Amino acid sequence: MEDLMYLKSGTDIRGTAIEKDGKGVDLTNERLESIVNSLVVFLKNKLNKEELTVAVGYDSRVSSPRIFDVVTKTLLSLGVNTYDCGLASTPSMFMSIINFDLDASIEITASHLPMEMNGLKFFTRQGGFSGGDIKEILEYAQNNSYVAEDVSAKTEKLSSMDKYCENLCNMIKEGVNAKNYDKPLENLKIVVDAGNGVGAFYAEKVLKVLGADTEGSCFLEPDGTFPNHIPNPENKQAMESICEAVKESGADLGVIFDTDCDRAACVDKSANEINRNKLVALASYIALKNSNGGVIVTDSVTSDGLNEFIEKDLGGEHHRFKRGYKNVIDEAIRLESEENKKAPLAIETSGHAAFSENYYLDDGAYLITKIIIEAARLAKEGKTIENVIGNLKTPVEEKEIRFKILLDDFRDYGTSVINDLKALAEKTDFTTIAPSNYEGIRFNFNKENGNGWLLLRMSVHEPLLVLNCESNEQGGVEKMLVFFKAFITKYDKLDLSKM
């Protein structure tokens, strides 16, 4: 029995797909066959049906064509009616189920990870799979051999991206409601940085179609070696790239996507980044305005200024939860179903944003579409995006440090370090524990000792302890780190080199 559980990455399956620097391939053809076989068994049980319809798409990675070939051939051999969506974004693969009445879909992607990585993301009409679903699929795959049952099913081409883009275009037409209804963006210049992922569709099949000037857009050509920068809105070089594109082209707005377009960020006409807390603030403004209030669910690293903005300026409720886009989505769904609360938006600072009106699908293009509609509305009033998020208080300093845990049983060790820090913070007279700690330990420092907050948490996927801290004054982070360094140096199973 081969252990495949190491391929579980939260709610996805991920591993190396190209041999690099002496590291072998995790996603071999044989393992992929076993995983797809297990997926088919899982779907038949979950959906209680024997005949399945499944769409398959992929991002721009070099290994995607090989994996696509193995996945589709395996599905066909198991009698599954299989649809080829070609190069496609992750959100469009979920929407293929809705738009074409299918049972499930698969996106071949590893998001922003390096070029040698790839993976599988699964959807049914109920949304993306949970971590428990992935565990069940991998357990079955490692305990059961793959046997082809049928070769009668045929693959068909499916224009899922075209339908997805058509829906986004209609959304903008209706939302802007311009005099020239079919060309609502004709007076706007919007540039897109696709990072050589799949995001070129937004420039070519949405913005251009609606009349926008997209001259100055960059890295639209799909290239799985990612030669220009990592396609990741959290990456400093990537954000510098889209800022430069806005400056050089004189654009009104700049848009950047990750590889598979489930995340996004933007910059305004002055090349100011609308990312992380600013992006959450803008999305919250849009969501709360359109739903007349409600709960905004975010991850744990959002700033105190964002909390104040959501609750005082927007009149909403801020529910600071856990890292992990599926965590915030599931929590929003739970609040609506179990506590009867409106939760119009679940969003991570990473750029994952899921609106309740859009199936709680984390969709970067949908988020950008909402922002463009709002920007067009504001322009009619002589306002800009900065006008509506201008009251957001931003920290003076912020820092993130990741500490590798040098043990196989890393989770227990990491948890013990967090518990020790919590005990220390509780008895320190200049720190106070923040309310509602859903992961790790977050506590505040008084004005004399840092004037900010510190959070220590486990990484969602990796053997890491992650430290986040923010201060409202110059030099405040260093004051907090002096306190933290005195605590952390006694833990010899942590790599403290980045300290």
Side-chain angles (χ1 to χ4, degrees):
M1 182 181 75
E2 183 183 24
D3 182 13
L4 298 179
M5 209 52 63
Y6 75 100
L7 297 175
K8 180 180 181 295
S9 178
T11 56
D12 300 353
I13 289 170
R14 290 182 183 174
T16 55
I18 297 173
E19 187 173 342
K20 187 179 180 185
D21 298 330
K23 187 175 187 331
V25 173
D26 295 323
L27 298 177
T28 63
N29 290 2
E30 293 75 16
R31 287 172 184 157
L32 288 165
E33 288 172 345
S34 295
I35 290 167
V36 174
N37 177 60
S38 178
L39 170 69
V40 171
V41 173
F42 177 87
L43 288 172
K44 287 181 177 180
N45 291 333
K46 181 182 179 73
L47 303 176
N48 193 27
K49 61 189 302 186
E50 280 299 311
E51 291 190 11
L52 297 173
T53 53
V54 178
V56 186
Y58 50 88
D59 73 10
S60 60
R61 292 171 185 277
V62 174
S63 58
S64 290
R66 172 184 69 86
I67 296 174
F68 175 82
D69 188 55
V70 175
V71 168
T72 54
K73 284 182 177 178
T74 307
L75 288 170
L76 290 169
S77 76
L78 296 169
V80 176
N81 293 295
T82 307
Y83 296 90
D84 171 6
C85 294
L87 189 70
S89 71
T90 291
S92 77
M93 291 310 300
F94 168 76
M95 291 306 300
S96 70
I97 299 172
I98 305 299
N99 292 332
F100 298 96
D101 194 24
L102 306 179
D103 294 317
S105 63
I106 302 169
E107 170 77 344
I108 298 164
T109 183
S111 188
H112 64 282
L113 293 182
M115 63 163 288
E116 69 271 16
M117 303 294 288
N118 215 325
L120 303 171
K121 184 183 282 286
F122 307 125
F123 295 98
T124 64
R125 189 172 290 269
Q126 283 68 48
F129 283 19
S130 69
D133 295 335
I134 299 300
K135 183 172 183 285
E136 184 178 336
I137 288 168
L138 289 174
E139 283 178 344
Y140 186 91
Q142 67 191 20
N143 291 318
N144 294 272
S145 57
Y146 159 66
V147 180
E149 298 172 358
D150 187 9
V151 292
S152 62
K154 302 294 181 183
T155 186
E156 294 182 35
K157 293 282 187 181
L158 191 67
S159 301
S160 61
M161 280 299 295
D162 289 344
K163 179 61 176 173
Y164 175 77
C165 292
E166 179 188 336
N167 290 345
L168 291 177
C169 286
N170 288 335
M171 185 177 159
I172 293 174
K173 288 178 185 179
E174 293 169 10
V176 176
N177 195 25
K179 287 182 179 179
N180 188 351
Y181 186 80
D182 290 326
K183 300 290 181 182
L185 305 181
E186 62 183 348
N187 296 317
L188 287 174
K189 186 176 183 67
I190 304 174
V191 293
V192 174
D193 183 333
N196 301 111
V198 304
F201 75 88
Y202 200 77
E204 295 165 353
K205 295 185 176 182
V206 179
L207 298 177
K208 276 187 182 179
V209 170
L210 299 177
D213 178 359
T214 61
E215 189 69 31
S217 293
C218 53
F219 314 135
L220 301 183
E221 185 67 27
D223 184 342
T225 65
F226 308 127
N228 295 292
H229 61 71
I230 296 170
N232 179 4
E234 288 191 290
N235 178 265
K236 182 180 178 182
Q237 185 184 359
M239 290 307 297
E240 287 173 350
S241 171
I242 186 60
C243 286
E244 190 61 31
V246 168
K247 289 177 186 175
E248 289 186 357
S249 65
D252 298 298
L253 186 72
V255 176
I256 186 166
F257 295 108
D258 72 342
T259 317
D260 60 325
C261 298
D262 59 358
R263 290 190 295 137
C266 54
V267 298
D268 67 16
K269 65 188 304 179
S270 301
N272 297 311
E273 294 183 16
I274 303 174
N275 202 14
R276 299 182 61 79
N277 285 293
K278 278 191 173 184
L279 186 67
V280 178
L282 179 56
S284 299
Y285 167 81
I286 294 169
L288 291 170
K289 185 183 77 167
N290 293 341
S291 70
N292 295 315
V295 183
I296 303 297
V297 182
T298 74
D299 59 354
S300 59
V301 301
T302 47
S303 69
D304 290 339
L306 179 68
N307 177 270
E308 183 178 328
F309 180 76
I310 290 172
E311 300 205 337
K312 292 185 178 179
D313 288 74
L314 303 183
E317 178 184 343
H318 180 204
H319 185 60
R320 187 187 282 129
F321 195 55
K322 300 177 182 178
R323 288 285 280 181
Y325 72 92
K326 195 69 167 65
N327 287 330
V328 295
I329 290 171
D330 287 347
E331 180 67 0
I333 293 170
R334 186 195 69 79
L335 289 172
E336 289 213 330
S337 62
E338 295 181 13
E339 298 190 20
N340 199 31
K341 289 185 174 181
K342 277 193 305 183
L345 177 66
I347 184 168
E348 263 202 314
T349 48
S350 64
H352 281 287
F355 289 84
S356 60
E357 67 187 35
N358 189 42
Y359 307 95
Y360 277 121
L361 174 65
D362 55 312
D363 185 343
Y366 190 91
L367 170 64
I368 294 300
T369 297
K370 297 285 285 186
I371 290 172
I372 287 173
I373 292 169
E374 191 59 38
R377 287 175 177 167
L378 288 167
K380 292 177 182 178
E381 302 172 13
K383 297 178 182 177
T384 66
I385 287 170
E386 281 296 322
N387 291 134
V388 300
I389 61 171
N391 286 341
L392 174 68
K393 295 176 183 175
T394 56
V396 175
E397 295 181 331
E398 56 186 312
K399 194 172 188 69
E400 178 175 286
I401 309 175
R402 294 171 171 250
F403 305 102
K404 187 173 183 180
I405 303 173
L406 308 173
L407 288 171
D408 291 334
D409 186 17
F410 62 88
R411 200 158 291 281
D412 286 347
Y413 187 82
T415 300
S416 69
V417 175
I418 290 169
N419 288 338
D420 290 350
L421 182 59
K422 180 176 184 290
L424 175 62
E426 285 176 334
K427 63 183 182 183
T428 301
D429 58 8
F430 54 79
T431 60
T432 54
I433 305 295
S436 304
N437 274 273
Y438 289 97
E439 67 175 348
I441 178 63
R442 177 170 173 148
F443 52 95
N444 302 313
F445 289 76
N446 67 15
K447 188 165 177 55
E448 291 74 28
N449 292 276
N451 193 16
W453 58 267
L454 181 150
L455 167 68
L456 186 67
R457 59 183 174 85
M458 288 292 300
S459 167
V460 177
H461 305 307
E462 301 172 89
L464 298 170
L465 274 173
V466 185
L467 174 74
N468 293 91
C469 51
E470 289 184 357
S471 175
N472 298 313
E473 64 181 43
Q474 199 73 35
V477 164
E478 184 55 37
K479 289 180 182 178
M480 291 186 283
L481 288 180
V482 168
F483 171 87
F484 182 74
K485 285 176 186 175
F487 161 79
I488 202 69
T489 49
K490 63 184 178 184
Y491 295 95
D492 59 359
K493 297 301 186 288
L494 297 176
D495 178 359
L496 301 176
S497 59
K498 292 184 178 180
M499 196 74 223

